[in-house]
Amino acid sequence: MKTHNLKLSIEFCDAVMSGEKTFEVRKNDRGFQTGDLIRFIPTDGTSYRSSDGTVREHAKHEISGHTYKITWE
């Protein structure tokens, strides 16, 4: 079982958390399998440079503290 960190547009975060949006269609370029875990990283499309010099795209949303299980491939 792997844990995948995936960016998710902030506009979809509330729908995922409420259960209204229950699937995400992605290219399987990471070897996704049933039982793997997903952590969504909310993004609003803007970027900024963090204090360590790396470029980040993260937006603030409570989904970042949640983990979801892949139940279907």
Side-chain angles (χ1 to χ4, degrees):
M1 175 175 55
K2 290 184 193 176
T3 300
H4 305 275
N5 295 305
L6 301 174
K7 288 189 239 175
L8 180 67
S9 178
I10 193 109
E11 67 184 288
F12 301 118
C13 291
D14 287 337
V16 170
M17 288 196 65
S18 72
E20 178 183 357
K21 182 174 178 3
T22 59
F23 66 93
E24 183 75 14
V25 177
R26 301 272 179 136
K27 179 179 181 179
N28 191 1
D29 59 352
R30 299 172 186 236
F32 298 114
Q33 295 197 358
T34 302
D36 284 358
L37 301 176
I38 301 283
R39 274 188 252 151
F40 288 114
I41 302 164
T43 182
D44 61 6
T46 61
S47 61
Y48 63 93
R49 192 166 298 281
S50 65
S51 59
D52 66 0
T54 57
V55 175
R56 307 274 184 191
E57 296 182 26
H58 308 165
K60 300 262 187 227
H61 193 281
E62 65 179 304
I63 199 169
S64 357
H66 295 266
T67 303
Y68 298 87
K69 184 184 273 189
I70 296 175
T71 59
W72 188 76
E73 276 183 67

